[in-house]
Amino acid sequence: AEWPEMPHYFEWVSRVVGKSGQAVMPCFGRKFWNFDSEKGFLPEALADLQVCVMRGGVSFTDCANGGFQTLAALGAKYALRLVTRECYLDRESPLFGARPIFFAHDEIFSEFLEHRAALAGPRKALVMREAMRVFVPDVHIAAEPALQRVWSKDADTVLDANGVLQVWEPK
């Protein structure tokens, strides 16, 4: 009921994959494709080559997932690029002087000077959300900073009474 177009989508994926079980799959997104209930998925126009990705040799499952997952991957990589630029080039940014040290899936781990971290963390989260919206403007995007001295998956955003980001401490 939530996604009534899905049976049509899976039929379309089956046709794309065909008898060979292999397909070439473009990334999706409002910029590239439109869904018509009678005609199925239609390309809107030729996409800008800088943001259009094609995957070849994909099976049904990869084909069905890849068009969407590709957009998330592009958004995350674009976020890393913008964050890195501010860290190294934008002297006015709270991120200037920070160092991205590790990128995993959709997270950018960075080292901040502690006296700048309360401003740098929220700035990085904002840059990441804005970058992702370039690729998936119709999807709710969340990115919340968590300052920590020792990395933990349990870390969470900690704010003081004034809404200023604080260091999360393990229990």
Side-chain angles (χ1 to χ4, degrees):
E2 180 73 23
W3 306 103
E5 67 273 17
M6 291 314 293
H8 300 287
Y9 177 65
F10 289 137
E11 289 171 18
W12 179 79
V13 170
S14 292
R15 285 194 308 275
V16 168
V17 173
K19 292 179 183 176
S20 71
Q22 300 286 304
V24 173
M25 183 64 180
C27 64
F28 285 157
R30 190 173 64 181
K31 293 180 180 181
F32 313 116
W33 292 81
N34 192 9
F35 178 76
D36 181 284
S37 60
E38 293 178 18
K39 297 178 184 175
F41 287 86
L42 305 170
E44 284 291 309
L46 291 176
D48 180 340
L49 292 176
Q50 291 180 344
V51 293
C52 185
V53 173
M54 303 288 280
R55 289 183 65 203
V58 294
S59 64
F60 178 88
T61 305
D62 297 329
C63 188
N65 181 49
F68 303 102
Q69 190 281 331
T70 299
L71 291 172
L74 290 171
K77 290 174 186 174
Y78 184 52
L80 177 62
R81 179 179 178 188
L82 295 181
V83 165
T84 301
R85 283 178 172 265
E86 287 197 27
C87 289
Y88 287 91
L89 301 175
D90 186 351
R91 292 182 179 277
E92 303 301 315
S93 172
L95 291 171
F96 187 74
R99 297 295 179 249
I101 57 169
F102 182 66
F103 176 68
H105 185 62
D106 61 353
E107 295 181 82
I108 304 170
F109 296 81
S110 304
E111 293 179 333
F112 300 137
L113 294 174
E114 197 158 334
H115 71 278
R116 296 178 62 114
L119 295 174
R123 175 63 189 162
K124 183 171 79 167
L126 177 63
V127 171
M128 291 172 68
R129 288 190 302 268
E130 289 175 349
M132 188 62 79
R133 284 189 191 111
V134 169
F135 292 90
V136 287
D138 301 323
V139 176
H140 172 74
I141 304 299
E144 300 300 327
L147 296 179
Q148 47 194 312
R149 291 184 179 93
V150 177
W151 182 81
S152 171
K153 275 209 167 272
D154 295 331
D156 205 357
T157 302
V158 177
L159 304 175
D160 68 11
N162 297 318
V164 176
L165 187 64
Q166 301 295 304
V167 174
W168 171 88
E169 297 288 352
K171 294 180 177 162

